[in-house]
């Protein structure tokens, strides 16, 4: 009840007279606006934010700014939609340790604030959650104006009995381990009753080391989710699995195909079912081998706020590097990354829709900073800055079914915005010149 009374619209309607009822208006003026639609940028723009939502975004000449607005001069700077990360994980990792004992309100908020600090204004938590996440999501949606990244969640994902990733540290008991359609239906009922934003399934044998859930059972998950009005995203690794699931009506691939290059038959399957390459997660591959030689960016002042000094010291240590380098399997991921990059470029060129996602959150997959590395790797794959920006704004919101509220910097949407000093359209790495971040019109950086 108390939270409701804080909402300005309700105050206006019930308590105050129209004369004293003032909307909260913030105006960002004089920047170049890159709105996420893919249209050319608007130089000398005005963005009017009323009670957290954009009510105008376009040329300054046509803007009507109400009296009493708080005006922010961002001349010479660039306004870009906040990043919607379609593949993250929350709560369980602290430092470099993944354990559900870490899944506290404090740790989860710390992570959501870290994302926000790097311009990631929404994150989809992909199947590794505890009930706490549903409380946080409910609290955020009560106002629509959180002070940290917005949460979307698959809650608990599916795998087979003892399947991937239940042997990863801290992951036992997190996903549903199913072997029959009846078990699938029961779990889907629970997910539907908790109003999850999507359904997640892991389809992987971890390079032949673990049990993979059978494809026919995954198809039961996909169709059962659909019956309940839910879309399914799949962790896949292999071409054959991804193609079979696209043919089974899968909504989104939560990783790139990494064992081989996709081809015309694959693209046709994706298009026929409307399957998205929801997240390419290049930084997931990178994280497997990059620490074998401590990367230079561990000393980059843009990186350092993303982790604790202790975590940074560990990642920089010779012992950590030696441990990563000692596992020859880790080095295979250099090739998997290259294949993934070729595949995203092929899919993009063929007109298959794609979003943006990193798989950050597990140990050494650094929330906030890795989203910027992902942009860099997408550019190296051959995507233009405009394509990359659209992937995390307009496209990501569309895939989530959140286009009414989020995505582009257009009137009607929540003002989830990033202000940069340099132009990300000339070099996507200029996203690292972040100066301000807004979520629901509130400045959070
Ligand atoms: Zn993941």
């Amino acid at each position: 009840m108390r939270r409701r009374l804080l909402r300005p619209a309700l105050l206006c309607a019930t308590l105050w007279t129209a004369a004293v009822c003032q909307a909260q208006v913030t105006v960002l003026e004089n920047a170049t606006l890159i709105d996420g639609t893919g249209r050319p940028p608007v130089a000398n723009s005005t963005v009017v934010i009323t009670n957290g939502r954009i009510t105008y975004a376009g040329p300054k000449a046509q803007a009507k700014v109400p009296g009493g607005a708080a005006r922010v001069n961002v001349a010479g700077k660039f306004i870009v939609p906040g990043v919607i990360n379609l593949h993250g994980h929350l709560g369980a990792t602290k430092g470099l340790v993944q354990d559900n004992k870490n899944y506290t309100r404090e740790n989860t908020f710390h992570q959501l604030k870290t994302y926000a600090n790097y311009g990631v204004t929404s994150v989809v938590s992909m199947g590794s959650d505890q009930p706490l996440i549903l409380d946080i999501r409910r609290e955020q949606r009560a106002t629509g104006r959180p002070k940290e990244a917005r949460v979307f969640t698959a809650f608990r994902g599916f795998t087979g009995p003892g399947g991937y990733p239940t042997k990863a540290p801290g992951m036992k008991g997190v996903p549903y381990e199913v072997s029959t359609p009846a078990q699938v239906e029961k779990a889907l009922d629970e997910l539907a009753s908790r109003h999850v934003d999507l359904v997640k399934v892991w389809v992987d044998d971890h390079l032949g080391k673990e049990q993979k859930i059978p494809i026919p059972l995954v198809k039961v998950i996909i169709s059962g989710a659909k019956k309940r009005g839910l879309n399914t995203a799949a962790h896949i690794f292999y071409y054959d699995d991804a193609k079979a699931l696209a043919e089974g009506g899968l909504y989104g691939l939560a990783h790139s195909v990494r064992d081989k290059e996709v081809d015309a038959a694959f693209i046709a399957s994706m298009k026929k079912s409307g399957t998205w390459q929801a997240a390419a997660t290049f930084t997931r591959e990178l994280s497997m081998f990059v620490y074998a030689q401590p990367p230079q960016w561990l000393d980059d002042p843009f990186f350092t706020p993303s982790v604790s000094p202790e975590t940074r010291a560990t990642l920089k240590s010779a012992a950590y590097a030696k441990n990563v380098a000692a596992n020859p399997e880790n080095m295979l991921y250099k090739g998997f990354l290259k294949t993934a990059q070729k595949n995203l470029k092929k899919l993009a060129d063929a007109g298959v829709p794609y979003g943006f996602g990193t798989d950050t959150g597990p140990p050494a997959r650094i929330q906030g900073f890795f989203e910027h590395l992902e942009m860099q790797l997408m550019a190296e794959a051959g995507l233009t800055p405009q394509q990359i920006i659209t992937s995390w704004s307009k496209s990501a919101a569309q895939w989530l079914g959140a286009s009414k509220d989020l995505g582009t910097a257009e009137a009607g949407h929540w003002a989830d915005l990033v202000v940069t000093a340099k132009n990300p359209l000339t070099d996507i790495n200029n996203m690292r010149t972040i100066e301000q971040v807004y979520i629901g019109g509130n400045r959070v950086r």
Side-chain angles (χ1 to χ4, degrees), residues 186-363:
K186 184 165 174 274
L188 283 171
D189 280 342
E190 192 198 346
L191 293 174
S193 76
R194 291 179 182 271
H195 304 286
V196 294
D197 297 294
L198 74 167
V199 168
K200 161 78 181 282
V201 56
W202 279 274
V203 186
D204 201 350
D205 65 5
H206 207 197
L207 301 176
K209 290 178 301 197
E210 288 169 41
Q211 200 72 33
K212 185 169 72 184
I213 187 171
I215 294 294
L217 196 57
V218 182
K219 290 183 179 172
V220 172
I221 295 170
I222 295 169
S223 60
K226 228 172 243 176
K227 264 195 310 208
R228 292 163 175 85
L230 294 166
N231 289 315
T232 302
H235 166 118
I236 49 83
F237 183 91
Y238 303 102
Y239 172 104
D240 288 345
D241 292 336
K243 186 160 179 287
L245 293 178
E247 281 157 7
L250 180 73
Y251 185 53
L253 304 178
H255 297 285
S256 296
V257 167
R258 290 160 279 173
D259 64 325
K260 62 169 90 157
E261 281 187 46
V262 298
D263 55 13
F266 187 91
I267 288 163
S269 304
M270 296 276 284
K271 283 191 164 175
K272 189 158 172 253
S273 298
T275 309
W276 283 56
Q277 182 63 59
T281 67
F282 296 148
T283 41
R284 184 198 189 280
E285 313 316 312
L286 186 82
S287 73
M288 299 299 286
F289 63 84
V290 74
Y291 298 107
Q293 286 259 317
Q296 277 184 349
W297 44 254
L298 291 173
D299 290 319
D300 183 341
F302 186 67
F303 168 78
T304 49
S306 66
V307 294
S308 70
E310 298 75 42
T311 297
R312 192 166 81 93
T314 303
L315 293 172
K316 283 185 73 170
S317 69
Y320 193 86
K322 201 175 151 202
N323 200 32
V324 173
N327 184 352
E329 191 184 288
N330 285 338
M331 299 309 128
L332 296 176
Y333 285 84
K334 289 183 182 177
F336 298 149
L337 171 58
K338 286 220 165 65
T339 304
Q341 286 177 303
K342 278 185 197 156
N343 285 342
L344 180 63
K345 174 66 173 153
K346 267 195 180 176
L347 295 173
D349 287 349
V352 172
Y354 55 94
F356 177 93
T358 54
D359 205 3
T360 46

Side-chain angles (χ1 to χ4, degrees), residues 34 379 383-392 424-428:
I34 302 160
L383 273 69
T384 66
Q386 188 74 282
Q387 284 181 304
I388 299 167
I389 293 168
T390 304
S391 78
W392 79 57
L425 283 180
T426 56
D427 179 353
I428 200 66

